[in-house]
């Protein structure tokens, strides 16, 4: 069993008992963390494992949320309504991802980021203009519906369904990273020119990663629409796109669990410090400054780095069979 | 089938008003080691970049094994079997040495887009990757990060990765640049060994390397071919002497 799976099972075990101790952690809070955590994992798939900075992830989160929400309002009572709305929501985000990614992927660095930003602003504009998105009001009172007849009105039932959906999404991202495709993505991130010279069409790999990331972000958005029964313009706003950057960097970019930690931190601060109002932004800003000044790898990234260094030191201290030193001549080729 | 693996006809590249490569007709004989030499700014690297589609030629044609490849993309050319190395060592620094080679082998499995499959499906390539590493003397470093290798070893790893594709044609951009004497000798022997059954076109400054292992030499100057032939012919050419010794300055 991989380390990732072990850690995940421990976390899942904790998550399973949450509804029994509502005084300690509020289940709705955990559901929020799961939605944003998955959203950040989707973003990290691009930034951490493909090396692309996108400012359009709110467009994916929001478009899926709107589609899922609008469908639930109309067909929510149907026993297949919820799964169908979820799937179609994800399909919408995949399409938006394909459109934005298809236009932006040929550009590099800051130009890529700016194109994704501009195109996601178009999605925002459409969300304001369209009738079915509710414009300024957004979609409110979205029914949670039922899953094959299982009523989802109660927070506890919803919680377990969301935990299952979240687990599937998280393990899916982990699989992408640790797949043959993920290997090529890492190669593209490390040295794109070299990956091309080995015969890989790097733009196609980046586009597929972009669309997959959009799909997972949409999946998180659809989950969020169901949990909170609400989709608003905030979900497609630039603010949300930058918040996910913050979560990912705080937790540790390019690590599997970092985005979850970052999302829990940001959502937690917003929830538990809600009483101080707008000052929350100041607190998060200060934490971010400390993070980029002193531990740039993020919480999880820094933890892994320290552990690796310690293991290396131990390996150096221990006597070992003689591997050749790095500056010794390479054995003569036969 | 002609004797030539790669032929360029009137290949020209102009950047604005500056013509970096002018009407170059180059013929690389199959299974030969062909060197491209010339003073700095002669257009060697630009010519290389034209061959590998980093730049698009202003005019002229590139023909590889009878097929016109002038309009193809970099990746498509690599899939045809023309694989290049870079002036600066090109590895995947955050991957292990073995994984570097495995990435090249992976294309053969055809699973490069399989994001749903487990990475364990790549384990079938491990034995071959290790054999390639053993072949170039890097087996002891298989688990190390490529970034932690010495410069000479990075270049060796690059060659192992390139060999993993088993390409019929190699384009080497200054394979011994910046290397210590020992490393130069090792790479020289390695190139000679891998040249069996392959065509190699290399840009090289080190004349001892060129003299020792190259079958044919093309000298470029100011984007044009100055001389072509064997090392003996080229080194005796008065125009080449003038270009290299500086006698040709007007």
């Amino acid at each position: 069993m991989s380390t990732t799976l072990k850690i995940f099972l421990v976390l899942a075990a904790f998550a399973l008992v949450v509804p029994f101790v509502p005084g300690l952690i509020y289940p709705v809070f955990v559901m929020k963390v799961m939605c944003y955590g998955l959203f950040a994992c989707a973003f990290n798939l691009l930034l951490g494992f493909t090396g692309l900075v996108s400012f359009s992830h709110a467009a994916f989160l929001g478009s899926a949320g709107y589609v899922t929400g609008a469908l639930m309002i109309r067909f929510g009572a149907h026993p297949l309504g919820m799964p169908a709305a979820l799937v179609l929501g994800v399909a919408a985000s995949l399409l938006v991802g394909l459109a934005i990614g298809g236009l932006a992927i040929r550009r590099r660095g800051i130009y890529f980021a700016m194109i994704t930003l501009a195109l996601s602003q178009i999605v925002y504009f459409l969300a304001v203009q369209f009738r079915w998105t509710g414009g300024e009001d957004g979609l409110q009172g979205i029914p949670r519906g039922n899953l094959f007849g299982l009523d989802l009105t109660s927070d506890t039932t919803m919680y377990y369904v969301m935990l299952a959906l979240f687990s599937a999404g998280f393990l899916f991202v982990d699989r992408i990273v640790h797949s043959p495709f993920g290997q090529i993505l890492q190669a593209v991130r490390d040295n794109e020119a070299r990956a091309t010279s080995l015969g890989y069409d790097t733009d196609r790999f980046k586009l597929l990663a972009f669309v997959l990331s959009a799909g997972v972000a949409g999946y998180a958005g659809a989950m969020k629409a169901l949990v909170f029964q609400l989709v608003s313009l905030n979900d497609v706003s630039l603010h949300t796109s930058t918040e996910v950057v913050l979560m990912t960097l705080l937790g540790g970019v390019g690590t599997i669990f970092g985005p979850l930690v970052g999302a829990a931190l940001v959502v937690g601060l917003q929830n538990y410090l809600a009483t101080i109002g707008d000052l929350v932004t100041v607190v998060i800003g200060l934490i971010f400054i400390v993070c980029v000044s002193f531990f740039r790898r993020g919480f999880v990234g820094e933890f892994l780095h320290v552990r690796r260094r310690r293991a290396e030191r131990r390996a150096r201290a221990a006597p070992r069979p003689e591997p050749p030193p790095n500056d010794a001549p390479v054995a003569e080729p036969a | 089938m002609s004797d030539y693996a790669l032929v360029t006809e009137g290949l020209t590249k102009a950047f604005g008003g500056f013509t970096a490569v002018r009407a170059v007709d180059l013929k690389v004989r199959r299974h030969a080691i062909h060197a491209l030499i010339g003073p700095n700014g002669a257009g060697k690297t630009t010519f290389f970049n034209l061959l590998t589609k980093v730049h698009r030629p202003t005019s002229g044609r590139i023909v590889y094994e009878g097929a016109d490849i002038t309009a193809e993309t970099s990746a498509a050319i690599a899939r045809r079997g023309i694989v290049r190395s870079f002036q600066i060592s090109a590895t995947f620094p955050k991957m292990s040495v073995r994984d570097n080679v495995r990435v090249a082998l992976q294309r053969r499995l055809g699973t490069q887009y399989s994001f749903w499959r487990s990475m364990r499906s790549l384990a079938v390539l491990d034995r071959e990757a290790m054999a390639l590493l053993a072949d170039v003397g890097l087996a002891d470093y298989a688990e190390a990060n490529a970034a932690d290798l010495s410069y000479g070893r990075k270049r060796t790893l690059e060659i192992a990765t390139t060999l993993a594709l088993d390409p019929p044609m190699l384009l080497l951009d200054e394979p011994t640049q910046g290397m210590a004497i020992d490393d130069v000798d090792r790479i020289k022997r390695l190139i000679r060994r891998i040249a069996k059954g392959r065509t190699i076109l290399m840009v090289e400054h080190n004349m001892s390397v060129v003299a020792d292992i190259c079958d044919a030499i093309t000298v470029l100057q100011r984007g044009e071919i100055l001389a072509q032939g064997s090392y003996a012919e080229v080194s005796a050419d008065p125009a080449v002497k003038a270009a290299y010794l500086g006698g040709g300055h007007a």
Side-chain angles (χ1 to χ4, degrees):
Chain A
M1 198 190 291
S2 71
T3 323
T4 307
L5 197 56
K6 275 183 213 156
I7 298 173
F8 180 76
L9 288 178
V10 172
L11 286 177
F14 278 112
L16 280 173
V17 298
V18 163
F20 296 102
V21 282
L24 199 64
I25 312 177
Y26 189 43
V28 175
F29 166 72
V30 180
M31 286 196 271
K32 190 171 180 185
V33 170
M34 290 195 289
C35 292
Y36 278 102
L38 202 51
F39 182 39
C41 284
F43 181 78
N44 187 39
L45 185 61
L46 268 195
L47 181 61
F49 296 106
T50 320
L52 293 174
V53 185
S54 144
F55 283 111
S56 57
H57 268 56
F60 312 137
L61 181 89
S63 54
Y66 275 119
V67 168
T68 301
L71 289 171
M72 284 309 284
I73 289 173
R74 285 166 189 73
F75 310 106
H78 194 278
L80 285 173
M82 190 275 231
L86 189 73
V87 168
L88 290 172
V90 172
S93 64
L94 288 172
L95 285 177
V96 176
L98 188 62
I100 294 183
L103 286 167
I105 214 79
R106 285 173 177 281
R107 298 282 157 259
R108 303 275 177 273
I110 189 74
Y111 303 103
F112 173 82
M114 286 302 112
I115 291 175
T116 60
L117 171 68
L119 294 174
S120 76
Q121 289 306 97
I122 295 178
V123 174
Y124 180 87
F125 172 77
L126 292 177
V128 176
Q129 291 296 316
F130 279 145
R131 262 241 187 99
W132 63 272
T133 56
E136 297 277 353
D137 300 329
L139 297 177
Q140 297 185 14
I142 298 168
R144 283 177 179 175
N146 58 72
L147 183 63
F148 310 123
L150 175 71
D151 183 29
L152 297 175
T153 327
S154 116
D155 275 347
T156 310
T157 320
M158 190 65 180
Y159 177 85
Y160 285 112
V161 171
M162 284 298 132
L163 184 58
L165 288 176
F166 166 79
S167 302
F170 179 80
L171 294 175
F172 178 64
V173 172
D174 183 55
R175 170 46 62 89
I176 295 173
V177 171
H178 298 108
S179 71
F181 172 69
Q183 279 284 289
I184 308 295
L185 278 190
Q186 198 187 341
V188 171
R189 183 196 66 185
D190 274 14
N191 192 336
E192 191 173 339
R194 180 56 170 165
T196 304
S197 81
L198 294 180
Y200 294 113
D201 283 309
T202 54
D203 281 351
R204 293 181 66 180
F205 286 89
K206 289 195 286 187
L207 181 59
L208 179 55
F210 192 87
V211 173
L212 286 171
S213 173
V216 176
Y219 183 69
M223 281 168 58
K224 189 172 160 298
L226 292 167
V227 171
F228 296 101
Q229 305 178 272
L230 170 85
V231 182
S232 70
L233 282 178
N234 184 51
D235 291 336
V236 279
S237 71
L238 179 57
H239 178 251
T240 303
S241 284
T242 50
E243 205 168 61
V244 74
V245 181
L246 186 75
M247 289 173 181
T248 309
L249 290 180
L250 276 181
V253 68
T255 64
I256 291 287
F257 288 100
L260 293 187
V261 173
L265 189 75
V266 172
V267 173
L269 285 172
Q270 283 169 349
N271 259 41
Y272 289 98
L273 297 180
T275 45
I276 60 171
D278 285 346
L279 277 177
V280 178
T281 318
V282 178
V283 173
I284 292 175
L286 284 175
I287 293 178
F288 189 62
I289 291 170
V290 171
C291 171
V292 295
S293 313
F294 299 108
F295 53 104
R296 266 173 232 185
R297 295 178 185 88
F299 284 100
V300 174
E302 206 65 40
F303 171 77
L304 291 175
H305 180 70
V306 168
R307 217 179 52 166
R308 200 175 310 132
R309 276 238 301 260
R310 205 172 291 161
E312 275 171 16
R313 219 172 301 140
R314 219 173 300 134
R316 230 173 293 141
R320 53 180 180 161
E322 196 54 36
N326 205 24
D327 49 350
V330 177
E332 190 58 48
Chain B
M1 206 181 198
S2 83
D3 292 344
Y4 300 105
L6 184 79
V7 175
T8 70
E9 293 165 5
L11 203 59
T12 299
K13 176 68 188 177
F15 296 101
F18 173 68
T19 308
V21 172
R22 190 190 301 273
V24 171
D25 296 316
L26 182 80
K27 287 181 174 176
V28 182
R29 200 174 285 279
R30 193 174 299 110
H31 299 174
I33 304 181
H34 193 123
L36 198 58
I37 66 171
N40 281 331
K44 303 182 298 283
T45 297
T46 306
F47 182 73
F48 240 57
N49 284 340
L50 287 176
L51 292 183
T52 54
K53 306 298 157 184
V54 176
H55 299 315
R56 194 175 283 274
T58 312
S59 63
R61 283 192 342 137
I62 306 167
V63 178
Y64 174 67
E65 296 293 357
D68 188 330
I69 58 167
T70 319
E72 289 189 5
T73 65
S74 299
I77 282 177
R79 287 194 293 269
R80 276 189 184 271
I82 309 178
V83 178
R84 80 171 292 183
S85 77
F86 291 80
Q87 210 162 9
I88 311 157
S89 80
T91 58
F92 303 115
K94 287 183 187 155
M95 298 174 108
S96 74
V97 168
R98 191 199 55 206
D99 286 355
N100 265 266
V101 178
R102 214 170 63 173
V103 163
L105 290 171
Q106 201 184 325
R107 217 184 67 214
R108 201 188 316 148
L109 291 183
T111 59
Q112 62 265 41
Y113 292 107
S114 304
F115 56 82
W116 58 90
R117 230 181 267 255
S118 165
M119 212 154 83
R120 275 189 291 258
S121 66
L122 297 178
V124 294
L125 301 172
D126 283 352
R127 185 201 295 250
E128 198 175 340
M130 288 307 294
L132 280 159
L133 287 175
D135 200 25
V136 297
L138 281 178
D140 288 328
Y141 302 92
E143 299 304 325
N145 261 356
D148 297 335
L149 294 182
S150 69
Y151 183 72
R153 289 218 165 75
K154 278 185 190 150
R155 306 239 48 170
T156 312
L157 171 60
E158 194 186 332
I159 290 178
T161 308
T162 304
L163 287 179
L165 299 174
D166 197 15
M169 172 134 204
L170 288 174
L171 304 176
L172 306 176
D173 195 357
E174 305 200 25
T176 66
Q177 195 211 26
M179 277 193 187
I181 298 260
D182 292 356
D183 283 337
V184 169
D185 272 350
R186 197 187 321 129
I187 294 286
K188 204 158 78 180
R189 277 193 295 270
L190 191 58
I191 291 174
R192 186 143 50 185
R193 193 161 58 88
I194 64 178
K196 291 203 182 82
R198 293 196 172 90
T199 311
I200 295 184
L201 176 64
M202 59 195 268
V203 170
E204 185 55 67
H205 277 302
N206 189 324
M207 281 305 141
S208 91
V209 175
V210 174
D212 285 358
I213 66 173
C214 294
D215 306 308
I217 297 168
T218 298
V219 187
L220 281 186
Q221 191 191 23
R222 299 192 190 123
E224 292 176 282
I225 293 183
L226 187 67
Q228 295 202 73
S230 70
Y231 182 76
E233 287 162 15
V234 166
S235 58
D237 190 307
V240 174
K241 278 186 184 159
Y244 268 84
L245 298 174
H249 286 300

